C-alpha cells in the first residue's frame, strides 16, 4: 500500500505519518507540505491513497485531486480540512472520506476501513515472488518428484519434455503452463493443487 499525505502544515503531515506508521506498518507513506510536489510525487509513485488538504496555501486540493484522478482514477482520495464548509465542494471529485481536523486515530481507522477502492495486499511483485520457481512451484515439484522416486530425466520422459526443462522448472527459471501442470500432477500421482497451493 502506498500513501501520500499532502497538507500545508508540516506538523499535521508529521502527525499523520506517525499515526499511519502504527495503523499501516507495511505501507509506504510519504508526506509533503509543498503543493507543487503533489502531482510529481503522484506520477512517480502512483499512490493508492492520498490524504489531501483542501486549502493548500492558495491552491485547491480539490483541483489537485482531479489531476490525480486523471492519472489513476481508482485512487482513494481522503480530504482533510479544518473547515466543514468544504465538505459539499469536495464531492466534485470521487472521494473515499472527508475528515475534519483535528484527525483522531478512530477517524483515520474508519476512513481506511471504508475505502471506496479497497486495496489488496496481493501485489504483482508478491504474486511473482510466491508463484515463481523455487519459492513455491519449483520446490514443490522437486519434493513430489523425489517422493515419487523419479529423477529429473524420468519425469521429463514421462511428460515428453527435455530434461533441461524440468531443471528450469525446479530452479525457478520457468513455470509450467496449466496443461503441463495437470500432466505433471497425473504422472506424480498428486492433485494439481498440491503443486500450486501452500
Amino acid at each position: 500500500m502506498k500513501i501520500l499525505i499532502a497538507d500545508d502544515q508540516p506538523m499535521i503531515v508529521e502527525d499523520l505519518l506517525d499515526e499511519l506508521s502504527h495503523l499501516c506498518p507495511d505501507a509506504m507513506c510519504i508526506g509533503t507540505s509543498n503543493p507543487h510536489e503533489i502531482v510529481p510525487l503522484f506520477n512517480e509513485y502512483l499512490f493508492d491513497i492520498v490524504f489531501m488538504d483542501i486549502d493548500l496555501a492558495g491552491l485547491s486540493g480539490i483541483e489537485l485531486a482531479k489531476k490525480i484522478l486523471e492519472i489513476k482514477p481508482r485512487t482513494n482520495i481522503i480530504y482533510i480540512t479544518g473547515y466543514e464548509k468544504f465538505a459539499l465542494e469536495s464531492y466534485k471529485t470521487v472521494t473515499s472520506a472527508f475528515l475534519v481536523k483535528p484527525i483522531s486515530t478512530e477517524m483515520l481507522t474508519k476512513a481506511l476501513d471504508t475505502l471506496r477502492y479497497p486495496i489488496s495486499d496481493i501485489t504483482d511483485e508478491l504474486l511473482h515472488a510466491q508463484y515463481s520457481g523455487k519459492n513455491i512451484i519449483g520446490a514443490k515439484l522437486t519434493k513430489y518428484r523425489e517422493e515419487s522416486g523419479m529423477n529429473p530425466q524420468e519425469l521429463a520422459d514421462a511428460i515428453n519434455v527435455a530434461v533441461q526443462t524440468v531443471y528450469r522448472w525446479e530452479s525457478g527459471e520457468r513455470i509450467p503452463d496449466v496443461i503441463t501442470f495437470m500432466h505433471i500432477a497425473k504422472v506424480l500421482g498428486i492433485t494439481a493443487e498440491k503443486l500450486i497451493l501452500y
Side-chain angles (χ1 to χ4, degrees):
M1 185 189 305
K2 293 177 286 188
I3 302 174
L4 174 64
I5 301 156
D7 194 292
D8 58 5
Q9 297 181 48
M11 190 172 291
I12 290 177
V13 173
E14 290 302 317
D15 285 348
L16 285 173
L17 285 171
D18 183 59
E19 284 276 7
L20 290 168
S21 71
H22 296 98
L23 292 174
C24 310
D26 297 325
M28 182 195 83
C29 298
I30 294 177
T32 181
S33 295
N34 182 348
H36 300 290
E37 291 181 349
I38 295 170
V39 174
L41 278 170
F42 191 85
N43 273 316
E44 184 175 355
Y45 295 105
L46 296 176
F47 296 95
D48 302 299
I49 303 170
V50 176
F51 286 88
M52 179 76 78
D53 189 8
I54 290 182
D55 188 10
L56 283 156
L59 289 178
S60 167
I62 293 171
E63 292 306 312
L64 288 169
K66 287 178 182 177
K67 291 180 181 179
I68 284 171
L69 292 169
E70 285 174 8
I71 298 165
K72 183 181 172 185
R74 291 181 64 83
T75 305
N76 291 284
I77 303 292
I78 299 176
Y79 286 115
I80 52 178
T81 183
Y83 307 99
E84 290 186 44
K85 65 181 182 181
F86 287 126
L88 219 56
E89 192 180 352
S90 74
Y91 287 98
K92 290 179 180 176
T93 55
V94 176
T95 60
S96 283
F98 180 91
L99 306 180
V100 178
K101 303 171 189 175
I103 299 167
S104 67
T105 302
E106 184 182 351
M107 291 163 67
L108 267 181
T109 303
K110 184 176 180 182
L112 292 169
D113 286 345
T114 56
L115 293 172
R116 180 179 290 269
Y117 304 114
I119 301 161
S120 173
D121 290 332
I122 302 172
T123 62
D124 290 341
E125 293 82 6
L126 181 63
L127 285 173
H128 178 75
Q130 293 301 321
Y131 286 93
S132 65
K134 270 191 172 178
N135 204 15
I136 289 277
I137 293 166
K140 288 203 165 192
L141 178 54
T142 303
K143 173 181 182 287
Y144 289 117
R145 173 183 57 74
E146 290 174 348
E147 285 181 1
S148 73
M150 300 178 80
N151 63 39
Q153 184 64 63
E154 289 169 331
L155 177 60
D157 292 342
I159 59 176
N160 198 27
V161 298
V163 69
Q164 289 86 356
T165 301
V166 173
Y167 285 129
R168 288 189 184 107
W169 290 337
E170 293 189 357
S171 70
E173 291 180 40
R174 298 281 187 275
I175 299 175
D177 61 40
V178 175
I179 301 300
T180 307
F181 263 127
M182 303 298 288
H183 196 177
I184 293 169
K186 184 176 179 182
V187 166
L188 296 179
I190 59 173
T191 63
E193 287 83 359
K194 281 193 172 183
L195 283 175
I196 299 171
L197 302 177
Y198 288 102

